[in-house]
Amino acid sequence: MATKTAAVDAKGYRKFGFRDVLAYGLGDFGCNMSFALKGTLTIFWTQYMGIDSILMASLLLLVQVWDAINDPVIGAMVDADKRQYKRNKFLAYIWAGSVGLMVAGALCFVPWTGAPYVVKCILFVAGYILWDAFYTVANVPYGSMLSLITADPVERAKLSTGRSVGSTVGSISASVILPMLIYDASNNLLGERIFIIALVMGILGFIAFQFMIRNTVVRVDTQVTLKEDAPKFNPLKATGHFLRNRAAVGATLAPVGLFIGMYGAQTALQIMFQSYFKNARISGIIGMLSYVGLFLFIPFVGKIVSKIGKKEAITIGACVSVLAYILMFILPITPDGKGLALFVVCQLLNAIGGGIGQCVSWSLMADAMDYEEWKFGTRNEGTTYALHSFFRKLAQGIGPSLGLMAATWLGYNAALGANQTIEVATNMRYLTAGAYLLSAVLQLIAYGVIYNLDKKTLAQMEKDLGKRRDDAKADLSKIIGGED
């Protein structure tokens, strides 16, 4: 009996531990079995399928706007859903989305090179929209789950770290293994392989989601009062709360800046390795450097959050990233081994700066959801996370579209594949550094200026919400016991 008692907390739930972190991390691994392939879309449809670069940039922006609009709609639908599910409504939606993602990712890479030009465009748009629908159904509830698994800030930081690790392992499949499989010895794309790879990754993602669903415990009871006159869910009001929620806005602007820069640099980076360093296959190995900081800080994230605070630590890291990309822009990164070494050094410095952010960034949104309850007395996990995702998705569309247009303006010709001129390749080297620097500056502004939950404020919020929830449960007990 003593063992059983030790295994549960005061509320009767299984005690928070490694199993929770592993399960939550595998959820993002499942998401990234699809999402990690997204970075290959531009090269696949321009170099392999032959769609014009400017038209492709327009199509990317079109589907990404739909992608962004889609998220708040799904989030509001989840928040408004009052049906009783066997385990949890968020987990039910995640299960439904995971089934579709088994095949939807592959539909973005149908290798029909002989199709009429218009049909190719339709294939891209239709495949992306279908993939995005299933991805949103799984990802929006998944992101909302973090705030419900635990209310403890340090435990939330551990969940955020677990999510980042899951995301990292999933991303490695594209950033490291994929380049080795899809480029030939001349650095040109073997596009027909991507469809099969996407199917395999979809099945792996489904398995990861099932583990997450079966091993997730919801410990935070956010519906502690039962009032007949309680206001109905209002998505417009929830949106207004989000825009007034400074913590949510800051935690959202940071990934917006990250994605605008990261995806803006993506096409230029791939061309740089194809035509400047002339070794596309090693691009994935070098891409692994971005994860060094994550694994460096994992053992210390709890202590750092407890001693320094999330906002404080992540702001210091953002300053280091800005420095790294200033150096990447001004250092003599030449198309040889010395230049590649300098490029690696800059990426390592940025990885160290961004490492703590990779560990705790997801927990910032969980704290922002609490901030909404603290300030406005309401909780709208689905809508809050969906709006967060909405702006992320806009950035994911704007970034690659602007990056592809900038690369084209600087001379990139998709028809040449890896055979770009040295002038164009050099332009890609500077476009990559410039996009990364813009990304780092936007993140510094978001974390250092806008996000307002420093260590002291976060502790006060946690204390006030705990008392508020305890008082609400006590009142509910009186009503149920007939003492009202």
Side-chain angles (χ1 to χ4, degrees):
M1 182 64 69
T3 301
K4 184 177 180 181
T5 302
V8 299
D9 60 19
K11 297 179 180 179
Y13 297 117
R14 186 189 76 227
K15 280 192 174 181
F16 181 90
F18 176 74
R19 184 175 169 186
D20 296 277
V21 177
L22 175 63
Y24 197 69
L26 280 173
D28 212 8
F29 175 86
C31 289
N32 273 275
M33 283 295 95
S34 281
F35 190 79
L37 288 165
K38 195 171 181 178
T40 313
L41 279 172
T42 300
I43 294 293
F44 176 83
W45 287 97
T46 57
Q47 290 190 8
Y48 183 73
M49 294 294 286
I51 294 181
D52 176 75
S53 295
I54 298 300
L55 176 59
M56 186 62 196
S58 302
L59 292 177
L60 278 171
L61 191 58
L62 172 68
V63 296
Q64 207 66 56
V65 168
W66 158 250
D67 192 354
I69 294 171
N70 184 25
D71 281 11
V73 172
I74 296 295
M77 181 179 73
V78 174
D79 279 335
D81 188 349
K82 303 303 180 185
R83 289 174 291 179
Q84 294 297 315
Y85 291 90
K86 184 177 180 181
R87 298 192 70 236
N88 178 271
K89 71 176 179 180
F90 291 99
L91 295 175
Y93 279 93
I94 293 169
W95 182 89
S98 70
V99 174
L101 284 177
M102 278 197 291
V103 296
L107 296 179
C108 294
F109 299 96
V110 177
W112 188 8
T113 55
Y117 198 81
V118 174
V119 173
K120 290 180 182 180
C121 296
I122 293 173
L123 280 174
F124 167 71
V125 173
Y128 189 95
I129 287 176
L130 188 60
W131 167 79
D132 177 62
F134 286 114
Y135 185 82
T136 302
V137 169
N139 185 254
V140 167
Y142 169 74
S144 304
M145 286 294 303
L146 192 150
S147 66
L148 302 180
I149 295 173
T150 177
D152 183 86
V154 174
E155 291 176 351
R156 284 181 172 179
K158 291 178 180 178
L159 286 175
S160 179
T161 301
R163 178 172 185 175
S164 294
V165 172
S167 173
T168 296
V169 175
S171 296
I172 285 175
S173 63
S175 64
V176 178
I177 300 173
L178 199 60
M180 298 179 184
L181 298 177
I182 65 173
Y183 289 107
D184 63 19
S186 300
N187 297 307
N188 289 306
L189 194 67
L190 300 169
E192 67 278 358
R193 295 184 179 181
I194 303 178
F195 181 80
I196 302 300
I197 292 169
L199 283 176
V200 174
M201 292 173 69
I203 294 170
L204 293 174
F206 176 78
I207 295 171
F209 272 123
Q210 299 316 301
F211 183 91
M212 180 259 175
I213 290 168
R214 286 167 171 75
N215 290 277
T216 295
V217 174
V218 176
R219 298 177 178 85
V220 179
D221 184 2
T222 60
Q223 296 179 345
V224 295
T225 58
L226 299 173
K227 298 180 180 179
E228 294 182 1
D229 60 345
K232 293 182 178 180
F233 172 73
N234 186 328
L236 292 178
K237 189 174 182 180
T239 301
H241 287 173
F242 175 88
L243 295 175
R244 287 185 290 163
N245 185 336
R246 186 170 161 185
V249 171
T252 300
L253 179 61
V256 164
L258 171 67
F259 288 137
I260 287 177
M262 183 176 72
Y263 286 109
Q266 199 165 61
T267 299
L269 181 66
Q270 290 173 311
I271 301 166
M272 182 173 71
F273 274 94
Q274 283 182 308
S275 306
Y276 193 68
F277 293 129
K278 297 189 181 300
N279 197 335
R281 290 179 174 177
I282 68 166
S283 61
I285 297 174
I286 299 210
M288 286 184 67
L289 297 175
S290 63
Y291 307 120
V292 168
L294 169 65
F295 291 105
L296 178 67
F297 283 104
I298 283 175
F300 314 107
V301 63
K303 292 181 180 178
I304 292 173
V305 169
S306 298
K307 186 171 184 179
I308 301 177
K310 297 179 190 178
K311 170 185 167 70
E312 292 83 352
I314 207 169
T315 302
I316 293 170
C319 291
V320 175
S321 292
V322 170
L323 173 62
Y325 289 131
I326 290 175
L327 292 174
M328 181 179 285
F329 200 86
I330 64 175
L331 288 176
I333 297 178
T334 49
D336 52 26
K338 180 181 176 182
L340 183 59
L342 288 174
F343 182 83
V344 167
V345 169
C346 293
Q347 290 291 59
L348 276 173
L349 183 60
N350 168 69
I352 293 171
I356 188 64
Q358 288 178 296
C359 289
V360 305
S361 60
W362 292 111
S363 68
L364 300 185
M365 274 308 298
D367 295 336
M369 292 174 190
D370 283 349
Y371 184 77
E372 179 186 339
E373 182 180 356
W374 190 41
K375 285 292 184 182
F376 306 115
T378 61
R379 286 188 72 93
N380 302 290
E381 283 92 349
T383 300
T384 300
Y385 184 79
L387 287 166
H388 170 75
S389 186
F390 168 83
F391 291 109
R392 287 167 60 99
K393 294 288 181 69
L394 275 182
Q396 289 165 19
I398 292 170
S401 295
L402 289 178
L404 184 54
M405 285 190 287
T408 303
W409 181 66
L410 291 171
Y412 167 58
N413 184 349
L416 296 178
N419 301 312
Q420 309 294 320
T421 66
I422 187 59
E423 290 79 14
V424 171
T426 302
N427 289 340
M428 297 305 104
R429 167 259 185 276
Y430 284 105
L431 178 57
T432 298
Y436 281 155
L437 178 58
L438 173 64
S439 171
V441 170
L442 289 175
Q443 289 179 79
L444 177 59
I445 293 171
Y447 291 134
V449 179
I450 299 176
Y451 189 80
N452 61 337
L453 292 179
D454 57 23
K455 184 181 178 183
K456 181 178 179 181
T457 305
L458 190 61
Q460 185 63 49
M461 180 181 74
E462 181 187 5
K463 179 180 177 181
D464 292 347
L465 286 179
K467 184 177 183 304
R468 191 182 301 175
R469 290 168 183 163
D470 288 342
D471 291 345
K473 287 182 180 179
D475 292 340
L476 181 59
S477 297
K478 291 180 181 180
I479 294 173
I480 295 174
E483 298 178 22
D484 186 42

